[in-house]
Amino acid sequence: MNNKIDKKTVKKGLLPYLFLFIIMLGAFYILKIGNKVVNDLSYDEFIDNLDKGNITELQVVARGSGYTYEVSGSLSSYKDNESFESTLPLSEEVMKKIVKASDEQEFKLTVKPDPDSSSLLLILVNVLPIVLLVGGAFWFFNKQLAGNRSSLDFGKSRARLNSDDNKVTFKDVAGLKEEKEEVKELIDFLKNPKRFQKLGARIPKGVLLVGPPGTGKTLLAKAVAGEANVPFYFISGSDFVELFVGVGASRVRDMFQQAKRNAPCLIFIEEIDAVGRQRGTGLGGGHDEREQTLNQLLTEMDGFGANEGIIIIAATNRPDVLDPALLRPGRFDRQVTVNLPDVRGREEILEVHARNKILANGITLQNLAKRTPGFSGADLENLLNEAALLAVRRNKNEITMSEIDEATDRVLMGPAKVSRKYSENDRKLVAYHEAGHAVIGIKLRNASDVQKVTIIPRGSAGGYNMMVPTEEKLCSTKTDLLEEITGLLGGRTAEEITFGEITTGAHNDFEKATKIARAMVTEYGMSDLGPLQFEQPSGSVFLGRDYNKPQHFSNEVANEIDMEMRKIIDDCHKKAHEIINKNKSLLKLIAETLLEYETLTKEQIDYLVENGKMPDEDENNLESLSITKLRELAKEKGIKNYSKMNKAELLKELDV
């Protein structure tokens, strides 16, 4: 591919020079002709000069079609750029006279045949126009037919055959141990189908991969095809549906016909919910074209026709919207749930994506995996890539923990808004708000570990507190949820106790706390109302299931639900008040340190809680220094307006 690109680039680069050379050559030729002087001699003048012996050179061209001789040459009295031309009658006497004079006067005589009598020229003049006309007409009609053929290709399948260049195997898929075991049967069947048929076993016709975005569903399907070494067709669900009626169903038929010719093979349908949604749902009824496509897909998967050797793998993160007929045994016989990876799975995924990256000494993937709960495989790949980009931008030869911390923040919250200016009063409010979250996290036994606290704005937040569970749990207890709500209310509580005033900065905390409290009452049965489920997680209105959904409880019960939610929030708020009132000195210590350093890591927070001060500063690592120390260094270097700069601006001025 690179060679082709290089050749094309070289040709394009030579074209201007070639064009310039042709222009210069033409100009030189025109100038050369323009310097020549050609005199027309009559027949009598030519004979007179021939008799007097004035001719030094002569060329004779016989024009058979015009019955004349055309002669040209030069006279003894002419200059170097001067010549003559003349037309003579076509007679034998004239030619004898010219030959006799040439013998006597010994001038150079050249006789040329008639150029019009050339057979090649005759072909070019008479045949070439006809050839060009016929060829042009043939090209025009052929192009028109090709256009008509492409317009008739709407019904052809858009499924593409995966090439060996992009071959993926199970070595490239990490963190999906159970999921890989589930699909290994497909590989065994494709390699040795007789082994299964011997005992009357039927391999699943379809496997549906279900899970959140970025968990590796597409990668797993590619690995199945790579391990089985069979043709692998992949297509998106949206490729079936077109403007024209019947196109989607036609493409489904054509796709299965291609697959039958290459059986055994795999068909992978990405985002099958685009074509496999439930029929007859939605506020405006069903979509006829999409439903026809789905009907054809259902028929091909388990109809009267046999599709032996064809296995369909589909992926979706919306299994709730799929048509029940698509999920029944005989079509998608097996559903494989691809969940977010646990800490061990994240470590394996990081090992795969860290193969070509240079990490600094002291960075272990195990610790990095513990710091990233809830990250998908795509998030982890993006995390390491962002860290590598930051290291290159900072002219480093390896990826350090500083780049990984910044990359984590970028993935979660977006880039830092270091240029955003806000008053010292706002900085103090944000510092005490985030310190309130940190104090609750430190003092509650079942609360999450505080990994990082910062007052640098990111996204729409003025600061944030990163808290990671001490251990990953499959289920959350009532105590866990209550302490999580208490931690969310810690920021507002710190504002109330410190300033006697409240701000709008806790609106996102309230949103999360209210959602947890309502779920505890209406879904989990964790209230005085007992083990009853009053609500279910809301679905999509446009599926036609939750529009005007009836309420299955009375107004009195609705009031009790509101009262229970209020009770949960009030109890957690009181507990947050108690904890922060008992630890005002710790709250002030963390807040004042945040104002000085802007960002605190878990190690710094642990040292601060244990010793009441920050670790000794390392002047070789400017990023770990306080704002006061950075301003002193900026003053020594003569940087102007250093007293008005924040930490990010100071680091930039100090070339960090």
Side-chain angles (χ1 to χ4, degrees):
M1 186 68 184
N2 293 331
N3 293 334
K4 293 181 180 178
I5 294 175
D6 294 341
K7 290 180 180 178
K8 289 181 180 178
T9 305
V10 171
K11 288 180 180 178
K12 288 182 179 178
L14 290 176
L15 281 177
Y17 297 101
L18 182 61
F19 184 66
L20 181 63
F21 175 74
I22 293 173
I23 292 176
M24 293 176 63
L25 191 64
F28 175 77
Y29 181 72
I30 292 172
L31 290 173
K32 186 176 180 182
I33 294 176
N35 292 330
K36 288 187 176 182
V37 179
V38 180
N39 300 313
D40 290 329
L41 299 181
S42 64
Y43 173 73
D44 294 335
E45 289 174 338
F46 172 76
I47 294 298
D48 183 51
N49 283 289
L50 184 65
D51 293 339
K52 291 180 179 180
N54 294 333
I55 297 176
T56 58
E57 185 178 356
L58 187 64
Q59 292 181 356
V60 181
V61 179
R63 293 287 184 183
S65 58
Y67 304 103
T68 57
Y69 287 117
E70 290 184 358
V71 295
S72 61
S74 59
L75 302 179
S76 57
S77 59
Y78 284 177
K79 298 179 181 179
D80 292 339
N81 63 337
E82 197 173 1
S83 63
F84 71 85
E85 289 183 352
S86 181
T87 303
L88 309 179
L90 186 61
S91 66
E92 188 177 349
E93 294 179 1
V94 173
M95 195 61 196
K96 286 181 179 180
K97 191 171 186 178
I98 292 173
V99 173
K100 183 179 179 182
S102 174
D103 294 338
E104 293 176 353
Q105 300 171 15
E106 296 181 352
F107 61 80
K108 184 179 179 181
L109 176 63
T110 305
V111 180
K112 293 183 178 181
D114 184 4
D116 292 340
S117 63
S118 171
S119 58
L120 179 61
L121 182 62
L122 182 65
I123 292 173
L124 291 176
V125 172
N126 296 293
V127 179
L128 186 60
I130 299 174
V131 173
L132 291 175
L133 183 62
V134 174
F138 178 78
W139 175 82
F140 176 77
F141 285 113
N142 189 46
K143 186 157 185 156
Q144 291 296 318
L145 289 173
N148 291 333
R149 283 197 298 268
S150 63
S151 65
L152 296 175
D153 283 346
F154 275 111
K156 296 296 182 182
S157 171
R158 295 294 188 267
R160 298 174 295 279
L161 187 64
N162 193 37
S163 62
D164 292 336
D165 298 335
N166 301 323
K167 192 173 182 179
V168 178
T169 63
F170 281 156
K171 293 181 181 179
D172 304 306
V173 182
L176 300 176
K177 184 177 180 181
E178 290 79 11
E179 290 81 355
K180 286 190 284 188
E181 290 293 334
E182 284 287 323
V183 296
K184 274 185 179 179
E185 287 183 3
L186 306 180
I187 300 171
D188 294 338
F189 175 78
L190 291 170
K191 288 183 176 180
N192 188 14
K194 293 182 179 179
R195 177 187 169 195
F196 293 85
Q197 294 169 356
K198 183 178 180 181
L199 296 177
R202 178 183 62 81
I203 200 67
K205 292 185 178 180
V207 176
L208 183 65
L209 303 178
V210 179
T215 50
K217 299 183 292 296
T218 303
L219 188 66
L220 183 61
K222 289 182 178 180
V224 172
E227 292 286 340
N229 197 23
V230 296
F232 175 70
Y233 291 94
F234 60 98
I235 189 172
S236 172
S238 60
D239 286 336
F240 290 112
V241 183
E242 282 282 359
L243 172 66
F244 302 101
V245 177
V247 170
S250 177
R251 287 180 177 175
V252 171
R253 288 191 295 270
D254 187 66
M255 179 181 69
F256 277 89
Q257 287 175 2
Q258 291 183 30
K260 288 175 185 177
R261 289 193 293 266
N262 293 279
C265 69
L266 284 169
I267 296 176
F268 176 61
I269 305 177
E270 180 72 279
E271 303 298 341
I272 194 173
D273 52 274
V275 69
R277 286 174 175 260
Q278 293 183 22
R279 291 167 288 183
T281 56
L283 297 179
H287 187 296
D288 290 338
E289 170 59 15
R290 184 181 55 78
E291 290 189 1
Q292 287 183 23
T293 306
L294 175 58
N295 291 336
Q296 186 63 46
L297 181 62
L298 295 173
T299 303
E300 293 289 345
M301 288 188 68
D302 188 25
F304 289 101
N307 288 320
E308 295 297 335
I310 300 175
I311 298 176
I312 299 176
I313 302 178
T316 182
N317 49 34
R318 297 289 307 278
D320 56 310
V321 307
L322 296 179
D323 194 274
L326 196 62
L327 301 177
R328 74 161 177 81
R331 291 194 174 111
F332 283 108
D333 303 271
R334 183 176 297 176
Q335 290 190 28
V336 178
T337 302
V338 185
N339 286 320
L340 293 171
D342 58 5
V343 61
R344 187 180 302 174
R346 291 195 298 274
E347 184 179 353
E348 294 175 0
I349 294 171
L350 288 169
E351 288 177 357
V352 171
H353 295 302
R355 289 172 183 169
N356 59 342
K357 294 177 177 61
I358 303 174
L359 300 178
N361 294 330
I363 296 179
T364 60
L365 298 180
Q366 184 179 8
N367 291 335
L368 185 55
K370 292 178 180 179
R371 293 165 57 95
T372 52
F375 276 50
S376 66
D379 291 332
L380 294 171
E381 191 275 335
N382 190 31
L383 170 67
L384 290 180
N385 185 60
E386 286 287 347
L389 292 174
L390 285 169
V392 173
R393 198 179 305 167
R394 295 174 178 178
N395 297 319
K396 293 185 177 181
N397 297 322
E398 57 186 9
I399 301 172
T400 65
M401 203 63 210
S402 175
E403 284 76 44
I404 291 177
D405 281 337
E406 176 65 19
T408 305
D409 295 340
R410 282 172 174 263
V411 172
L412 290 174
M413 304 288 293
K417 304 293 181 65
V418 294
S419 61
R420 181 184 295 177
K421 298 291 184 181
Y422 53 102
S423 65
E424 284 299 318
N425 185 51
D426 288 338
R427 290 183 76 246
K428 192 173 182 181
L429 280 169
V430 173
Y432 273 89
H433 181 100
E434 299 303 332
H437 289 303
V439 169
I440 300 294
I442 293 169
K443 293 301 177 180
L444 284 180
R445 181 175 59 85
N446 293 326
S448 301
D449 285 340
V450 180
Q451 291 289 329
K452 186 176 185 180
V453 185
T454 180
I455 60 173
I456 298 175
R458 288 181 184 272
S460 60
Y464 79 97
N465 192 321
M466 183 190 295
M467 303 179 72
V468 177
T470 53
E471 59 178 353
E472 295 184 32
K473 300 178 181 179
L474 183 63
C475 297
S476 297
T477 64
K478 183 178 180 179
T479 303
D480 295 335
L481 296 176
L482 290 174
E483 293 192 353
E484 186 175 353
I485 295 175
T486 305
L488 289 169
L489 298 176
R492 165 59 69 85
T493 306
E495 294 175 9
E496 295 171 346
I497 293 175
T498 306
F499 304 103
E501 187 62 87
I502 56 178
T503 68
T504 60
H507 71 282
N508 186 248
D509 298 331
F510 295 157
E511 179 184 350
K512 295 178 180 177
T514 305
K515 186 177 180 181
I516 296 172
R518 188 167 190 86
M520 290 176 65
V521 177
T522 62
E523 297 179 34
Y524 306 146
M526 294 180 177
S527 70
D528 292 340
L529 295 180
L532 296 173
Q533 188 176 62
F534 299 101
E535 294 178 352
Q536 294 179 349
S538 59
S540 175
V541 171
F542 293 98
L543 289 176
R545 293 192 303 222
D546 300 319
Y547 186 67
N548 286 333
K549 184 174 68 174
Q551 182 174 293
H552 297 294
F553 48 84
S554 64
N555 292 333
E556 289 77 7
V557 174
N559 183 57
E560 291 181 15
I561 290 173
D562 294 339
M563 296 298 292
E564 287 295 326
M565 289 175 55
R566 183 181 296 275
K567 181 182 177 183
I568 291 174
I569 297 294
D570 288 343
D571 290 345
C572 292
H573 194 196
K574 290 177 183 178
K575 190 172 184 179
H577 263 276
E578 293 174 3
I579 295 172
I580 292 180
N581 277 322
K582 288 181 181 178
N583 298 277
K584 283 185 178 180
S585 58
L586 179 60
L587 175 72
K588 183 178 180 181
L589 176 64
I590 295 176
E592 295 297 328
T593 308
L594 271 175
L595 289 171
E596 190 68 19
Y597 288 84
E598 291 191 344
T599 300
L600 298 177
T601 63
K602 175 177 171 53
E603 293 76 14
Q604 291 173 327
I605 293 171
D606 292 342
Y607 189 92
L608 186 66
V609 172
E610 185 176 348
N611 300 282
K613 64 176 184 177
M614 288 288 287
D616 295 334
E617 296 181 343
D618 180 10
E619 293 193 2
N620 294 323
N621 184 11
L622 296 183
E623 293 179 0
S624 65
L625 300 181
S626 64
I627 292 180
T628 302
K629 188 64 177 180
L630 290 174
R631 285 173 177 168
E632 292 176 1
L633 294 175
K635 183 180 179 181
E636 293 175 3
K637 290 194 173 185
I639 298 173
K640 297 180 180 179
N641 299 323
Y642 65 88
S643 61
K644 297 181 180 179
M645 295 181 183
N646 57 29
K647 187 173 182 179
E649 291 171 330
L650 288 168
L651 290 173
K652 186 177 181 181
E653 290 294 329
L654 293 170
D655 295 331
V656 176

